[in-house]
Amino acid sequence: MNTTSYGFVLISWLLLLAFTPLGIYSETKHNLVKMTLVQHAVTQGAFCLDGSLPGYHLDRGYGTGANNWLLQFEGGGWCNDIESCLERAKSRRGSTKYMSKWEYFNGILSNNASLNPDFHNWNRVKLRYCDGASFSGDSLYQNETVKLYFRGQRIWKAIILDLLPKGLNVADKALLSGCSAGGLATFLHCDNFTSFLPETTSAKCMSDAGFFLDIRDISLQHTARQFFEKLILLQGTEQFLNENCTSSRYYPYQCFFPQYALPYVKAPYFILNSAYDVFQFHHNLVPPSTDLRGHWSRCKNNPAACNLHQLTILQGFRFEMLKALLFFYEYSKTGGMFLNSCFAHCQSESQDTWFAADSPRVHNRTIAESVGDWYFERRVTKLVDCAYPCDNSCHNTIG
Ligand SMILES: *[C@@H]1O[C@H](CO)[C@@H](O)[C@H](O)[C@H]1NC(C)=O
Ligand SMILES: *[C@@H]1O[C@H](CO)[C@@H](O)[C@H](O)[C@H]1NC(C)=O
Ligand SMILES: *[C@@H]1O[C@H](CO)[C@@H](O)[C@H](O)[C@H]1NC(C)=O
Ligand SMILES: *[C@@H]1O[C@H](CO)[C@@H](O)[C@H](O)[C@H]1NC(C)=O
Ligand SMILES: *[C@@H]1O[C@H](CO)[C@@H](O)[C@H](O)[C@H]1NC(C)=O
């Protein structure tokens, strides 16, 4: 989209907002879902970074979906030292005190059949993210002046225990999903999730933009690895990683990375990711520290502005991702994937990428159709897009 049409869209929206507030309100009100605070979390010591109660939003299923459950981890980056976690504790990323108490349910969470064909009538739950570590840790930092709770594991368990008596304990079908830091959380909790459910439940997991690669940045530093290593030490995460994975690696903490954890997950998995994931591009492949002169600024904001050298590096990133998923692609009998080539990050939560007339497609399937095809076993779904720039269903409007 060029600047002119972007301006036009913006102005149209402003006009719409100015002149039809009632119309917009009535259409979106239906999708607004209230937060539930987990009261019994106190007895389990399950707190957000700042000590506030954890929360979730539940929109009840209906009709044929009344006994099916979709649980979605909220995303939102990480903190990996005391300073950044203290900052986070004062924000909506680390405290339910500062979170919106009502959330719009869009994309995979939408309750509208024409916007979300396969999951609209399921019980849909958004698990709010406030521990700073993809729900992975269990420790506490305390001195005379500050206290920080690193209780992701307890929050996860407290929410599950709250949902079980609400019908999750008799779920017929279940799907654990999440995007970004929430997508990463699905790898860490997938098999733990199924352990709470009856054996008769069909339980599966999906990661959206959560396939964070253990790659070197353009200056050959292990930026991603070092970032997560600090987080894992700070929060006491290592003890919760899959034992079969950790015992197979020289650095056990590496099992935080999906590429090492995935082979050990028992439940059926769906990997949804862009092969040019924008978050990884900006933070792990070309972190600001590697580009002090800003040679990448234009390319980071618009792939069409990348020069040949930069494109080569981006193609290399895609190749690393394909390589890390090759085993899964070839051998996972129950797995599914949708690996497209749009410059995106999180494609299941917004309507325009999940399911719309002009949403991204691979082999002419939308993301919503692909995830549904895989979940309901309507067809084998392992879709890998051709390399950038061949896909003309992308909008590539990063930044
Ligand atoms: C569902 O979405 C469609 C397409 O946007 C819209 O026309 C319809 O009014 C929505 N239905 C409900 C019940 O909100
Ligand atoms: C407690 O920890 C914070 C963060 O590390 C630090 O700024 C502060 O000085 C510490 N307070 C005391 C009394 O040690
Ligand atoms: C699932 O995770 C919770 C929270 O870490 C833990 O207490 C529980 O033992 C785990 N269950 C299994 C079967 O691993
Ligand atoms: C580890 O592998 C063994 C043997 O395949 C399996 O029985 C066990 O369930 C696995 N443990 C975990 C935590 O996945
Ligand atoms: C792609 O799918 C749409 C429906 O989703 C269909 O109308 C169209 O004909 C398909 N295009 C091709 C080339 O198969």
Side-chain angles (χ1 to χ4, degrees):
M1 211 185 283
N2 61 34
T3 335
T4 330
S5 65
Y6 185 75
F8 175 74
V9 170
L10 193 69
I11 288 166
S12 321
W13 264 103
L14 289 175
L15 287 173
L16 266 172
L17 287 172
F19 295 114
T20 56
L22 284 175
I24 286 184
Y25 182 66
S26 62
E27 216 179 287
T28 50
K29 182 181 65 175
H30 209 64
N31 272 332
L32 263 178
V33 180
K34 194 171 188 216
M35 183 192 282
T36 303
L37 288 175
V38 184
Q39 301 296 342
H40 70 80
V42 180
T43 58
Q44 297 166 45
F47 301 112
C48 295
L49 285 171
D50 70 330
S52 59
L53 287 177
Y56 62 83
H57 303 246
L58 162 62
D59 197 20
R60 283 287 181 177
Y62 53 92
T64 55
N67 289 323
N68 299 340
W69 288 76
L70 168 66
L71 270 63
Q72 191 218 38
F73 286 115
E74 182 182 27
W78 307 269
C79 59
N80 71 349
D81 56 24
I82 296 297
E83 195 187 353
S84 60
C85 290
L86 277 174
E87 269 310 299
R88 186 171 270 254
K90 292 179 234 153
S91 78
R92 71 187 169 96
R93 298 285 185 214
S95 169
T96 46
K97 275 200 303 198
Y98 304 108
M99 285 180 189
S100 56
K101 303 300 180 292
W102 294 82
E103 281 284 293
Y104 289 111
F105 272 23
N106 296 322
I108 194 172
L109 289 175
S110 168
N111 62 356
N112 182 329
S114 54
L115 302 175
N116 186 24
D118 286 309
F119 305 103
H120 66 276
N121 61 358
W122 288 33
N123 297 282
R124 285 151 289 112
V125 189
K126 179 172 190 162
L127 284 64
R128 297 309 294 265
Y129 176 37
C130 64
D131 63 284
S134 292
F135 297 78
S136 73
D138 189 9
S139 67
L140 184 70
Y141 177 83
Q142 191 170 15
N143 68 15
E144 280 140 35
T145 45
V146 303
K147 195 167 182 179
L148 272 176
Y149 294 88
F150 300 128
R151 298 294 202 208
Q153 291 286 344
R154 297 188 196 211
I155 292 172
W156 158 247
K157 191 172 174 181
I159 294 178
I160 292 290
L161 293 180
D162 213 56
L163 294 173
L164 284 170
K166 296 189 175 183
L168 180 62
N169 61 344
V170 290
D172 188 15
K173 297 185 165 63
L175 176 60
L176 181 65
S177 83
C179 180
S180 193
L184 185 58
T186 66
F187 295 100
L188 307 173
H189 293 293
C190 182
D191 282 336
N192 186 272
F193 177 54
T194 63
S195 75
F196 285 105
L197 303 173
E199 277 188 19
T200 50
T201 306
S202 158
K204 309 190 180 187
C205 302
M206 169 177 110
S207 156
D208 176 8
F211 207 80
F212 293 94
L213 291 171
D214 183 18
I215 44 149
R216 291 175 192 247
D217 65 31
I218 54 167
S219 67
L220 303 183
Q221 302 297 304
H222 284 289
T223 294
R225 196 187 284 182
Q226 285 156 6
F227 183 89
F228 285 140
E229 185 184 11
K230 272 178 79 179
L231 171 149
I232 287 160
L233 274 174
L234 178 71
Q235 292 235 5
T237 293
E238 195 172 300
Q239 57 180 309
F240 297 102
L241 301 173
N242 182 295
E243 282 168 21
N244 290 336
C245 180
T246 53
S247 63
S248 76
R249 300 213 71 81
Y250 184 71
Y251 297 115
Y253 74 84
Q254 281 189 311
C255 292
F256 199 69
F257 284 100
Q259 69 199 80
Y260 310 121
L262 182 58
Y264 297 95
V265 178
K266 293 176 187 123
Y269 233 101
F270 193 93
I271 306 294
L272 164 60
N273 227 96
S274 160
Y276 306 89
D277 181 83
V278 171
F279 183 94
Q280 295 193 61
F281 169 21
H282 291 184
H283 293 88
N284 296 344
L285 182 64
V286 191
S289 61
T290 62
D291 185 35
L292 297 175
R293 300 210 177 142
H295 293 307
W296 283 80
S297 310
R298 289 180 61 232
C299 169
K300 277 186 170 182
N301 288 317
N302 175 11
C306 303
N307 62 34
L308 253 180
H309 169 68
Q310 292 166 332
L311 280 178
T312 306
I313 287 169
L314 288 166
Q315 302 299 13
F317 176 83
R318 173 175 180 270
F319 181 75
E320 289 298 320
M321 187 165 300
L322 293 177
K323 210 168 69 179
L325 281 165
L326 184 62
F327 187 83
F328 179 78
Y329 181 83
E330 293 277 345
Y331 298 109
S332 171
K333 291 199 179 73
T334 56
M337 61 196 272
F338 188 102
L339 199 77
N340 63 351
S341 295
C342 304
F343 280 73
H345 182 64
C346 292
Q347 303 182 88
S348 65
E349 295 172 353
S350 71
Q351 196 57 52
D352 58 338
T353 45
W354 174 245
F355 192 58
D358 64 345
S359 57
R361 287 167 185 258
V362 175
H363 298 173
N364 205 28
R365 306 295 284 169
T366 61
I367 294 170
E369 288 163 343
S370 306
V371 174
D373 285 348
W374 159 78
Y375 188 93
F376 293 97
E377 295 166 29
R378 293 190 294 246
R379 61 162 88 181
V380 175
T381 301
K382 284 183 180 159
L383 301 171
V384 178
D385 207 350
C386 47
Y388 176 82
C390 76
D391 183 338
N392 55 23
S393 71
C394 297
H395 306 298
N396 286 338
T397 48
I398 37 172

